[in-house]
Structure formats: structure tokens, C-alpha cells
Amino acid sequence: MTVTTEAHMRAIDENTITEAALEQMASTPNPRLKQIMAALTRHLHNFAREVDLTPEEWLEGIKFLTAVGQKCTAYRQEFILLSDTLGLSSLVNALHDRRATEAGTKSSLVGPFYRQDSPTLKLGDTIVTKPTNGQEVCLYGRVFNSAGRGVPNATVQVWQPDETGNYDLQKHDPSEMDLRGTFHTDADGRFYLRTIAPLGYMIPMDGPVGDMIRAQKRHGYRPAHIHFIIGAPGYREVVTALYLQGDEHIDSDTVFGVTASLVTGVNSKDPASPIPNLPTIKFDFHLPAAAAYGSGRVGADPSQIVKKVAS
Ligand SMILES: [Fe+2]
């Protein structure tokens, strides 16, 4: 006699598939992984049902994500760029800021051009290492704690594009560092350095993310900005960027990094400048107390991501 189990089998259709997938994943021992994968699966299935996803469209999506991965190298991070242009990176930053136990400087994007181990420099040094036509400026400010006291010996990592809107990673030899430096605040929490005013730029458009931006008829520009990672023992690391007012894309950043409190400008006459006779960009940062949760870096050095994947 042939025994059929059909009567006991679940009928999988476009709705019951979600429950079936969740049931199978319910054995995940790590509770956070279980929660994240269950929510991801629910939303992914709802998305497919909402748009009535066709096999051709599904394959387009697979091809797109494959191309995004293939574009990644030690000097290029197309997945971070995708996250940035979808607004996911800024959303994760906003969630991160909401978890802070004390008010601090708002987070902004790390972006795809961060490199760890930038040269350690002395206060007043320049981060410019190549000939430039950029406008030299003094970039300065103080790092405060929530009690309004300067934080001494805070680490200030700074990186930026040049006056044409390009980072060193986009240059002829991307292994040579330029326009990056790591500084330490003085006893009063002050930092100051020489650099050039950055120009806004179009995000890298020669990959699949660029194809997406063009298909959506978006302009693809970021307003002029300077990136920072600032940290000190006992404080939550602040990962942020300053945006220069007057840039035509200040209100339509392709990666949604700009928020009003991070907008500053170039001051052509600043008697308070620690380096006299230079225009200035001034900004004070506020570090909240350290909290129990981990890093606030929505991004990483591309070479480190490639290394981790390979190992
Ligand atoms: Fe940037």
C-alpha cells in the first residue's frame, strides 16, 4: 500500500510561505539574529507581494546585487554607497543617536571613503600632501563633554575631498593618503589644523549604484563636507560630517547626510582663528558619555571589509 503524506503537508502559497520560512528559522539560537532574520523575511515577503514581483524582476535584483558586490575592492565600497543612497545609513545613524544617554553632536555618514590609520599629525599641521589649487583654511573648534568642559586628548580623525570634489581613494594611485589626518585635542579640548575648503561631489556613478541613480533621475550630488570621527575614553564616539552652507545641494543630498545642526560655513575674517590670516571653518563637537552599546560607525575602511570577507 502506498502511503501518501500529502494530506499532512502544508499547502505553500504566496501567503503561507512566510509562516513556513519563519517556522524553519525559529531554531536560531542567537536571539538577536533570530529577530533580525524573522523581520527581514517578513518585510521581504511583504515587499514581493506588494509589488507582485515577477521572475524577471527578481533576476534583475539578483544581477544588481551581484554587480554591487563585484564592484567592491579595497578602495571601493559599492554596498555602503547603496545603503547611503537608499537612506538606510542615515536611518541607522538616527536610530543610533536616539539610543544615546546624553545629547551630543548628531551622527552623519562615514561614507565609502574612510580609511583607518590616517597619519597622526600635530595641532596646526596641514592634511594637504599634494599640490592643490584649493582655498587654504584653518579648521578648528573644541570637543566638549555634556558638562560643557573641554575633552583633552580626544582623537579627531578628519578626512575630506579636495577642491575638485575627489578623495585620495579616487585618484591615480589610491594607496597614497591625502587630505586625511588624526589629531589629538589639547588640554582644553581644542583642535586646529590647516586644510583646503572641499568641493561637493557627485557620488561614484560608474557602477550599479550610479545606474540606479540615473534610472531614478536623481542628480547624484553631495554638498561640500568634511568627515570626522571623534572619540575619547569614557565617551561615545561621534561619527559625523560638517556641511558647508551655500552649496546648491545642501537641501538635496543624495545620501541624506545633511541635518541643520551640522551645517557651517567658511568665515573669511575670523579674529578668533588659532592660525591668523586664514579663512576658517569652525565647529564645536559634543561627546555624550559612553553607553553600553557598540560602535556608531555606519561604514568602515573598504580595505578592512574586503579583508574580513576574504578571511
Ligand atoms: Fe564624503
Side-chain angles (χ1 to χ4, degrees):
M1 193 176 88
T2 308
V3 176
T4 173
T5 55
E6 265 178 35
H8 307 293
M9 284 183 65
R10 182 199 299 270
I12 295 284
D13 63 21
E14 75 275 17
N15 292 310
T16 59
I17 179 67
T18 304
E19 215 32 60
L22 295 178
E23 264 179 44
Q24 202 171 113
M25 295 175 187
S27 55
T28 310
N30 180 320
R32 183 64 173 159
L33 178 63
K34 182 177 172 182
Q35 180 192 13
I36 286 173
M37 288 308 298
L40 177 68
T41 303
R42 272 198 313 274
H43 287 280
L44 194 60
H45 287 200
N46 283 337
F47 148 75
R49 281 186 286 263
E50 180 184 322
V51 301
D52 194 12
L53 195 69
T54 68
E56 291 80 9
E57 290 161 346
W58 171 87
L59 189 56
E60 275 305 303
I62 297 288
K63 280 185 197 163
F64 175 74
L65 292 174
T66 303
V68 170
Q70 286 174 337
K71 198 75 185 168
C72 294
T73 69
Y75 301 119
R76 173 89 180 242
Q77 234 309 325
E78 195 78 355
F79 260 112
I80 291 180
L81 192 62
L82 177 60
S83 168
D84 292 352
T85 52
L86 293 179
L88 178 63
S89 306
S90 276
L91 170 59
V92 174
N93 276 331
L95 295 171
H96 174 71
D97 284 349
R98 207 180 59 176
R99 285 192 292 268
T101 51
E102 293 177 344
T105 301
K106 278 199 178 306
S107 295
S108 192
L109 305 169
V110 174
F113 301 114
Y114 172 64
R115 293 170 96 167
Q116 61 185 44
D117 304 325
S118 66
T120 299
L121 300 171
K122 292 194 304 295
L123 294 175
D125 282 352
T126 184
I127 60 172
V128 181
T129 66
K130 307 274 185 227
T132 176
N133 295 316
Q135 176 195 22
E136 190 176 31
V137 296
C138 168
L139 173 61
Y140 79 103
R142 283 181 77 182
V143 178
F144 289 104
N145 65 16
S146 63
R149 279 192 283 277
V151 179
N153 205 32
T155 303
V156 178
Q157 295 181 69
V158 54
W159 72 103
Q160 64 166 83
D162 64 15
E163 78 283 5
T164 67
N166 286 291
Y167 288 85
D168 53 7
L169 286 176
Q170 299 169 292
K171 299 283 180 63
H172 180 64
D173 180 356
S175 69
E176 289 182 9
M177 289 206 195
D178 185 29
L179 292 169
R180 302 172 186 272
T182 301
F183 295 82
H184 294 90
T185 56
D186 69 12
D188 296 317
R190 293 177 204 283
F191 67 91
Y192 52 98
L193 57 112
R194 291 169 184 263
T195 183
I196 53 172
L199 190 70
Y201 57 84
M202 187 177 265
I203 60 160
M205 295 291 279
D206 59 339
V209 173
D211 293 341
M212 179 189 81
I213 294 293
R214 271 186 294 274
Q216 295 170 328
K217 296 275 185 258
R218 294 160 69 182
H219 58 57
Y221 279 96
R222 297 213 65 204
H225 59 275
I226 302 173
H227 294 273
F228 290 86
I229 295 181
I230 300 176
Y235 296 95
R236 192 186 79 146
E237 185 177 78
V238 166
V239 182
T240 194
L242 303 182
Y243 296 89
L244 298 187
Q245 63 197 13
D247 190 295
E248 64 174 308
H249 301 111
I250 197 83
D251 265 333
S252 60
D253 185 0
T254 301
V255 298
F256 313 100
V258 182
T259 190
S261 64
L262 297 177
V263 176
T264 182
V266 179
N267 189 347
S268 56
K269 280 205 173 64
D270 181 355
S273 172
I275 303 174
N277 304 319
L278 274 186
T280 61
I281 299 173
K282 175 182 184 287
F283 199 84
D284 293 333
F285 295 90
H286 298 266
L287 299 186
Y293 52 84
S295 166
R297 299 182 185 185
V298 185
D301 183 329
S303 66
Q304 300 303 309
I305 296 176
V306 170
K307 245 189 234 167
K308 269 191 195 143
V309 170
S311 64

